[in-house]
Amino acid sequence: MAGETVHYIPQREHGPSRVRALAWRAGTISRPPRRGRGRSLANAYQRAAASLRSHGPEYLRRIRLIMLATATAASAAQAADEHRLGPAPAPLPEVAAPVPERPGELSAAGDRARSAGAITILEGNAAVRRDERALGAERVRLDRESGRAEASGDVVLTAPGLELRAREGSTNMNTGTFDVDAARYRLPPVPAQGRAERLARDETGISTLADGTFSTCPAQAEAWHLSAEHVRLDSNTQQGTARNVELWFKGVPLFYSPWFRFPLGDERMSGFLAPTIGRSDDSGTEVSVPWYWNAAPNFDATLAPRWLERRGTQLQSEWRWLGPIGRWQLNNEYLPDDDLYGDDRVLTQLYQEGEFGAWRTEIDAARASDPDYFDDLGTGLSVSSQTHLRQRADLHWRGGAGRFRLRADAYQTLDQNIEDDDRPYERVPQATFTSGGRWGWWRTQLDSEMVRFEREPGDPAATRLRLTPAITWAAETPGWFFRPRLAVDHTSYRLEQVDTGIPEDFQRTLPIASVDTGLVLDRFGESYQQTLEPRAFYAYIPDDEDQNEIPLFDTGRYGFSFPQLFRERRFTGGDRVGDTNRLTLALTSRVLSRETGRELLRGSIGGIRHFDDRGVTLRPNEEPETGERSDLIGELAASPTPQLRAQIAAQWDPQTDIVSKWNTALRYRGPGGGVANVGYRERRDGLDEPQQEQVDVSFAWPVSPRWQLVAGNNYSLLDERSVESVVGAEYNSCCWRLRTVAREHITNNGEDTSRGIYLELVLKGLGGVGDDTGGLLERAILGYRDPESTDSDLAP
């Protein structure tokens, strides 16, 4: 091939005459494999790094990983959609070389061409192509044997995931190495772009960039960019280093580091994360700068010093370990000598999950140093005042014989207004076993429990055994069902520290009988299907045992609701088995779209007819229930369009003509992802005057392609004050997002009010600076979804 004469073919399809060189074979080295075909990025990181390991400048994509070491990233598809908010990138000049007929071949074209041995010189719209790599320039000197091409004058180089323009440079079309000066590059899959005084990749797999930048903004509207004096990328060791790295936003420097070391693949690496900044009435200005420590492939930690202007410096830490006994996470927050509180403040949380064949373990435990910890120092904006912190550890087994669970359960009461008698008992431990089977229409079930109850010294304690075998005849067809059920509840107590006269040993055995039956009738129209679903439920439990001497360990009342109409028991837990002899009658009707199956309208109404008084009460001094009829429960839900949904639920006492409870909600999803909600709830508990009356209004609404307003308010009409309110605005561009939120909420059981203003700046593809306001808005505005929500985990 070295002495081959190049044949020229005149081209006249697009203006001036062009001469195209015949394609020739250029050796057997195949192009590097295309990489990064995985899921959305979270793996945009990997796709971008892979392109640079093959072609160059994408290592800048890695700089962001080190710089703020954030795991927050949008998928390539999402980034492409958001890029529409900015100007479209200028098109590259066409590289007008024909596509080779066979893989591994080179093709070349130009207005003028001359050859001497293995050297071909192309001038005027010169172009060279091999597979998916293409080179265009005003002048190209091509060595056909080695594949090396030297180009000058408006150089264009394209490869999978890379588009590059430069003043001059060289590349090897066979190996993909290159060295260019005064370059501008684009990474279309990300999308991202930048510039560099010099950009190169050698045959050993090492890429270098001098005086370069990286940004996900379009070049015509570059709001932010990273700049580095020198970057070295070693694809062999999967390590990169950068010197004198700066982050700029709107011409203002936000961050600087003299040196960075960072990974080129998906592996984690130690480094600083995005700082958070906020302000509240109680603590003043807050600043936190987290540092991530990649201690081992199965162990890492995040340490976050948090400075609170009026309280001092707190250390927050998160430790994660993946080992043979499952996944562990320990969170700890420590504030020594709080300047406002006058004492140390501590919060510790432990989580664990593990699976070992048929066995599974879970731990979820938290403890705070004082009851006011979350009101004063709650770091998650979505955390409201808590009444209890739970410490729970479970051991589960599941097999053919049934399901077994061993649990230790305790609570820390934070709300000091809760009476001592109403504070929860510890279950140390609780063992449950459930099994069942089916033979045709017959179903059997056994629920069993052994539990130890303890609380403060001097309070009653007990060991309780419960056995509840049951059998059901479940006759069911598409148009009707008939399910009679018979069960026996046997409970045995060993009581301790009870009042004089109360026996220490107590046993209770009661039968439970019920029948659940109903019809499903259909009527079909041209476009709609309507159902009529009458249902009857009868339950009987005799009042054969005096249960008032049993202390309350885990028992309370069920709330009255539509599902409660079809429940056999009147009480939660196992300390009371409420006697009952009642019949529930209910009716439900639905309207469905025959085309889509979507429920357009649903209405339900039901009530209970009692045949006997209810003698078993929750507490000994309570009056028995004697009413023959319960309140009527009604629900109505309508969804005339997929965007609009309304719901009303009401509880009405026909004897007093009082609506004791009712709530209504209206939700609308508008164009562009907007959502608006209106709700009202009222509770009277059978009295003329309401005990609760609240209105909820919230929305997140785009007012332009870039701006979105967010607001939410929970207002108590009785107290004439807001329980919680948030208001804010979001600005969204193609490559950055700014969100500011103001929040006011009551604390300390309504005695105090806390206010705060939070600001969050998100540089897309890089990370966020400021408070994480997404969780707050997701809780305050039903249907709102934080676009920056991600879920990272320790790799197995």
Side-chain angles (χ1 to χ4, degrees):
M1 295 292 294
E4 178 183 33
T5 301
V6 178
H7 302 278
Y8 305 112
I9 303 176
Q11 303 291 317
R12 300 183 180 273
E13 296 122 342
H14 305 287
S17 297
R18 290 180 51 81
V19 206
R20 190 175 305 278
L22 295 177
W24 63 84
R25 174 128 354 236
T28 58
I29 301 176
S30 62
R31 66 176 177 85
R34 300 183 69 178
R35 308 179 69 178
R37 293 274 191 184
R39 303 181 302 273
S40 64
L41 205 92
N43 282 333
Y45 285 116
Q46 188 177 13
R47 281 201 294 268
S51 290
L52 183 60
R53 289 198 294 271
S54 298
H55 312 294
E58 263 155 319
Y59 64 92
L60 283 176
R61 183 68 168 172
R62 288 297 118 194
I63 294 181
R64 69 142 185 215
L65 185 66
I66 11 262
M67 287 220 21
L68 299 178
T70 176
T72 305
S75 70
Q78 290 171 328
D81 290 340
E82 291 175 333
H83 229 61
R84 297 169 187 168
L85 294 174
L92 288 175
E94 180 184 0
V95 178
V99 177
E101 295 181 359
R102 291 180 294 275
E105 289 186 341
L106 279 172
S107 66
D111 292 339
R112 300 174 299 279
R114 63 181 185 274
S115 293
I119 306 300
T120 295
I121 297 176
L122 305 169
E123 295 180 322
N125 297 319
V128 181
R129 184 183 300 275
R130 181 188 179 186
D131 298 326
E132 296 185 88
R133 287 192 290 270
L135 173 68
E138 285 299 311
R139 184 179 187 276
V140 174
R141 181 181 184 274
L142 177 65
D143 186 332
R144 303 193 306 275
E145 286 188 344
S146 64
R148 178 178 173 80
E150 299 175 358
S152 60
D154 198 15
V155 177
V156 176
L157 178 64
T158 64
L162 171 66
E163 297 175 354
L164 186 151
R165 297 190 68 167
R167 181 178 58 207
E168 60 181 7
S170 62
T171 182
N172 190 304
M173 301 298 294
N174 297 338
T175 64
T177 61
F178 58 85
D179 188 340
V180 296
D181 295 330
R184 291 207 65 104
Y185 67 89
R186 289 206 305 250
L187 312 174
V190 175
Q193 56 81 30
R195 57 189 179 274
E197 286 301 312
R198 183 172 181 271
L199 184 61
R201 182 179 185 274
D202 63 22
E203 294 180 354
T204 65
I206 296 176
S207 301
T208 57
L209 177 144
D211 294 328
T213 68
F214 169 86
S215 178
T216 60
C217 299
Q220 310 95 303
E222 190 177 82
W224 70 268
H225 69 266
L226 292 172
S227 64
E229 181 180 280
H230 178 80
V231 178
R232 182 179 186 273
L233 239 105
D234 191 336
S235 60
N236 303 304
T237 62
Q238 294 290 287
Q239 296 287 323
T241 56
R243 293 202 306 266
N244 293 329
V245 182
E246 298 175 347
L247 171 62
W248 292 78
F249 177 74
K250 295 290 186 179
V252 178
L254 299 183
F255 181 84
Y256 168 79
S257 178
W259 182 83
F260 269 121
R261 181 172 64 93
F262 52 93
L264 301 182
D266 289 336
E267 60 273 14
R268 306 181 311 273
M269 203 164 206
S270 302
F272 285 98
L273 306 179
T276 61
I277 304 171
R279 183 173 179 82
S280 66
D281 284 349
D282 294 337
S283 301
T285 302
E286 304 176 14
V287 180
S288 176
V289 182
W291 182 74
Y292 175 74
W293 179 34
N294 181 36
N298 65 334
F299 178 70
D300 65 2
T302 302
L303 307 176
R306 180 191 181 199
W307 177 73
L308 300 98
E309 179 184 8
R310 298 174 186 168
R311 296 185 182 275
T313 301
Q314 180 188 51
L315 178 61
Q316 300 173 321
S317 61
E318 176 187 275
W319 308 82
R320 302 190 305 172
W321 177 59
L322 180 65
I325 54 174
R327 310 164 78 91
W328 293 78
Q329 180 173 325
L330 174 65
N331 299 340
N332 188 74
E333 301 178 359
Y334 175 61
L335 174 60
D337 194 19
D338 186 332
D339 293 339
L340 292 180
Y341 189 78
D343 201 352
D344 296 349
R345 317 290 295 275
V346 182
L347 172 66
T348 303
Q349 298 170 297
L350 177 65
Y351 307 96
Q352 187 270 348
E353 289 182 350
E355 289 193 20
F356 317 93
W359 295 89
R360 181 167 57 89
T361 58
E362 291 182 12
I363 298 176
D364 186 353
R367 191 164 187 86
S369 58
D370 56 88
D372 300 323
Y373 188 93
F374 288 98
D375 284 340
D376 295 344
L377 298 171
T379 55
L381 295 182
S382 62
V383 174
S384 59
S385 298
Q386 301 190 39
T387 59
H388 299 89
L389 287 181
R390 189 177 189 182
Q391 298 99 44
R392 174 179 61 84
D394 288 350
L395 174 65
H396 299 265
W397 175 84
R398 183 165 189 160
R403 297 186 301 273
F404 170 79
R405 184 189 69 194
L406 180 65
R407 167 175 289 180
D409 203 5
Y411 295 87
Q412 178 189 6
T413 300
L414 299 180
D415 187 350
Q416 299 303 300
N417 293 319
I418 298 177
E419 298 292 337
D420 291 343
D421 289 344
D422 294 330
R423 300 192 178 193
Y425 269 85
E426 298 179 357
R427 290 177 283 190
V428 284
Q430 179 194 43
T432 62
F433 178 75
T434 301
S435 66
R438 181 166 184 169
W439 294 271
W441 283 358
W442 292 97
R443 297 177 185 172
T444 61
Q445 184 172 344
L446 172 65
D447 295 326
S448 60
E449 175 198 50
M450 175 71 79
V451 57
R452 170 70 181 178
F453 292 109
E454 292 182 359
R455 200 162 59 183
E456 297 296 328
D459 287 342
T463 300
R464 185 179 73 193
L465 170 66
R466 291 183 67 197
L467 297 172
T468 309
I471 185 169
T472 303
W473 185 54
E476 301 176 1
T477 71
W480 60 271
F481 62 90
F482 182 71
R483 294 190 289 259
R485 181 177 184 268
L486 181 63
V488 177
D489 187 306
H490 173 78
T491 310
S492 175
Y493 286 87
R494 176 67 180 178
L495 301 175
E496 302 173 17
Q497 300 174 171
V498 293
D499 294 338
T500 304
I502 296 178
E504 295 184 350
D505 294 307
F506 184 88
Q507 292 188 0
R508 178 191 64 204
T509 303
L510 288 169
I512 301 173
S514 66
V515 178
D516 191 6
T517 184
L519 301 174
V520 181
L521 308 176
D522 293 300
R523 183 173 62 179
F524 296 91
E526 292 186 3
S527 303
Y528 305 107
Q529 172 189 354
Q530 182 184 4
T531 70
L532 192 64
E533 305 169 32
R535 183 177 179 184
F537 178 80
Y538 175 78
Y540 176 77
I541 302 175
D543 183 13
D544 294 339
E545 299 281 357
D546 183 5
Q547 306 177 39
N548 289 330
E549 294 181 343
I550 304 175
L552 296 179
F553 298 107
D554 65 348
T555 298
R557 285 189 176 87
Y558 283 111
F560 192 62
S561 61
F562 196 79
Q564 175 61 17
L565 298 177
F566 309 99
R567 196 187 301 270
E568 295 171 333
R569 298 175 182 266
R570 295 193 287 121
F571 302 110
T572 65
D575 301 317
R576 297 288 184 273
V577 178
D579 59 312
T580 190
N581 182 12
R582 71 179 191 265
L583 175 66
T584 295
L585 296 177
L587 181 66
T588 298
S589 182
R590 311 171 199 266
V591 176
L592 310 173
S593 169
R594 295 194 64 182
E595 180 180 356
T596 64
R598 188 169 63 86
E599 184 180 86
L600 306 178
L601 183 66
R602 183 186 76 250
S604 299
I605 188 170
I608 298 175
R609 172 68 164 87
H610 295 282
F611 301 106
D612 294 321
D613 295 341
R614 278 75 66 206
V616 177
T617 60
L618 190 63
R619 300 182 185 277
N621 56 353
E622 291 182 357
E623 291 293 330
E625 298 179 20
T626 59
E628 293 184 359
R629 292 179 175 84
S630 73
D631 291 353
L632 293 179
I633 291 284
E635 297 181 345
L636 182 65
S639 181
T641 70
Q643 295 78 26
L644 181 64
R645 182 170 182 83
Q647 185 169 357
I648 300 174
Q651 178 178 332
W652 175 59
D653 186 348
Q655 297 179 357
T656 61
D657 198 24
I658 292 177
V659 178
S660 55
K661 294 180 184 178
W662 76 286
N663 64 76
T664 180
L666 178 66
R667 180 178 179 185
Y668 176 71
R669 281 196 173 276
V675 61
N677 307 285
V678 179
Y680 174 82
R681 57 183 173 271
E682 179 183 298
R683 179 173 55 84
R684 293 178 181 266
D685 292 335
L687 304 176
D688 291 335
E689 297 298 325
Q691 280 69 58
Q692 181 189 51
E693 193 174 9
Q694 292 183 344
V695 176
D696 287 308
V697 179
S698 63
F699 65 85
W701 203 261
V703 295
S704 75
R706 295 178 182 270
W707 282 97
Q708 177 173 244
L709 301 181
V710 294
N713 186 29
N714 183 330
Y715 186 82
S716 173
L717 297 174
L718 290 180
D719 301 324
E720 297 183 346
R721 64 181 297 188
S722 290
V723 178
E724 180 182 30
S725 60
V726 297
V727 62
E730 296 182 6
Y731 177 82
N732 186 29
S733 82
C734 57
C735 59
W736 62 281
R737 177 183 291 109
L738 179 66
R739 179 164 53 199
T740 179
V741 177
R743 181 197 189 198
E744 178 182 282
H745 67 287
I746 60 174
T747 61
N748 194 20
N749 295 305
E751 297 180 4
D752 301 320
T753 300
S754 178
R755 300 177 181 87
I757 297 178
Y758 310 95
L759 184 70
E760 182 180 19
L761 173 64
V762 177
L763 306 180
K764 297 177 184 179
L766 181 64
V769 179
D771 269 289
D772 178 13
T773 58
L776 167 65
L777 295 179
E778 286 182 342
R779 184 179 60 84
I781 303 173
L782 181 65
Y784 176 89
R785 184 181 182 277
D786 180 15
E788 306 305 321
S789 293
T790 58
D791 185 21
S792 62
D793 213 339
L794 200 64

